[in-house]
């Protein structure tokens, strides 16, 4: 089932390449190439994630520039890649779960919604929203423990920098040699539940975030192409964009539209889910002290602390880096993802460009 614009041999429409469904993919190639490509993307964007995490656990508002300068001055480039090895190890299985759930759900729900009589645009949005929801939930089984460990490593050394006066006193400053040592110490101190700290709020953050992102992306993608069509031609009675002799966008135009759609979707998703992401990060990194013993914070205590520190504005600390991270990551991800799917298409089912 293809949710993208169908191609017309009459040459009267914008000829956007058809979508690639799950059954059309060479699965082994899809997962192997995906692991390699997305590992590279993660490496490029990881410093922004570190910056966002440190801003979220800060007790006061610290500018991105000041935070970046402090990390580079006191920790060097290495400070921007704390916990990267652990994060990279989790990227491969998490991405495999994410992409598998995404494609299976999108194909299944897309077929069902079209058969129920929904329009192509509505069916696409619903299928993408459902796919984003299911893929996020599947990936969190791996990502939550990886997040807990990597974020502990990200804030390690934070208290030794010049910005120590901005450090939240509840930050857990247990020293970890590496990701494996952090995993062992967290497991010893808190048991398996320590590795899944914030799992519930992670689902509440990433599931709607992915649903909003994929739905917004599909709508933005169609609106942009519709706008391009309106600027170059007119519509017939059925609403199809007529281009005279037909218009086939080149690869640069396709990438540009995908990138712009991804950036727009990221902005919407970041604004809606930022407070939940801040709460999740604090739950996974911060502790409270009770009778000389450090214990995990709960959601209510985390929210109360945020309100005391700055109200709603405190929930949006790190919005700039998160928006930039999501936009850059999403733009790179969606273009890489579409490229990956075309590389992984079965040879016996070639896709007409």
């Amino acid at each position: 089932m293809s949710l993208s614009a169908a191609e017309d041999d009459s040459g009267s429409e914008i000829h956007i390449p058809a979508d690639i469904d799950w059954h059309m993919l060479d699965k082994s190639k899809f997962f192997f190439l995906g692991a390699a490509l997305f590992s590279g993307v993660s490496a490029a964007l990881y410093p922004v994630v570190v910056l966002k995490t440190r801003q979220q656990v800060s007790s006061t508002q610290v500018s991105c520039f000041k935070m970046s300068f402090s990390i580079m001055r006191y920790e060097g480039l290495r400070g921007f890649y704390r916990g990267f090895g652990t994060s990279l190890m989790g990227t491969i299985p998490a991405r495999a779960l994410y992409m598998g759930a995404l494609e299976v759900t999108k194909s299944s729900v897309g077929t069902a919604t079209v058969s129920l009589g929904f329009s192509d645009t509505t069916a696409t949005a619903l299928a993408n929203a459902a796919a984003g929801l299911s893929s996020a939930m599947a990936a969190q089984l791996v990502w939550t423990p990886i997040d807990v460990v990597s974020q502990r490593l990200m804030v390690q050394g934070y208290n030794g920098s010049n910005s120590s006066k901005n450090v939240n006193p509840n930050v857990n400053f247990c020293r970890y040699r590496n990701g494996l040592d952090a995993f062992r110490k967290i497991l010893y101190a808190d048991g398996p539940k320590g590795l899944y700290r914030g799992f519930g709020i992670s689902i509440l953050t990433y599931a709607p975030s992915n649903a909003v992102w994929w739905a917004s992306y599909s709508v933005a993608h169609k609106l942009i192409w519709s706008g391009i069509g309106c600027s170059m031609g007119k519509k017939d009675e059925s609403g199809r964009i007529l281009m005279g002799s037909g218009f086939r966008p080149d690869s640069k135009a396709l990438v540009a539209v995908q990138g712009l759609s991804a950036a727009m979707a990221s902005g919407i998703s970041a604004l809606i889910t930022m407070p939940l992401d801040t709460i999740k990060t604090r739950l996974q990194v911060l502790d409270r002290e009770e009778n000389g013993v450090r214990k995990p914070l709960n959601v209510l205590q985390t929210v109360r602390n945020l309100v005391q520190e700055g109200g709603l504005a405190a929930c949006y600390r790190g919005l700039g880096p998160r928006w930039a991270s999501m936009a850059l990551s999403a733009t790179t991800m969606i273009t890489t993802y579409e490229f990956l799917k075309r590389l992984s298409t079965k040879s016996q089912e070639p896709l007409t460009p």
Side-chain angles (χ1 to χ4, degrees), residues 53 55 57 98 102 196 223-224 230 240 249 285 307 312 339:
T53 301
Q55 283 193 315
V57 300
Y98 184 92
L102 183 75
Y196 278 90
L223 285 175
I224 292 171
C230 288
R240 293 190 307 174
V285 174
V307 171
L312 184 61
F339 176 65

Side-chain angles (χ1 to χ4, degrees), residues 101 120 126 189 211 238 332:
D120 187 60
L126 290 174
S238 64
T332 309

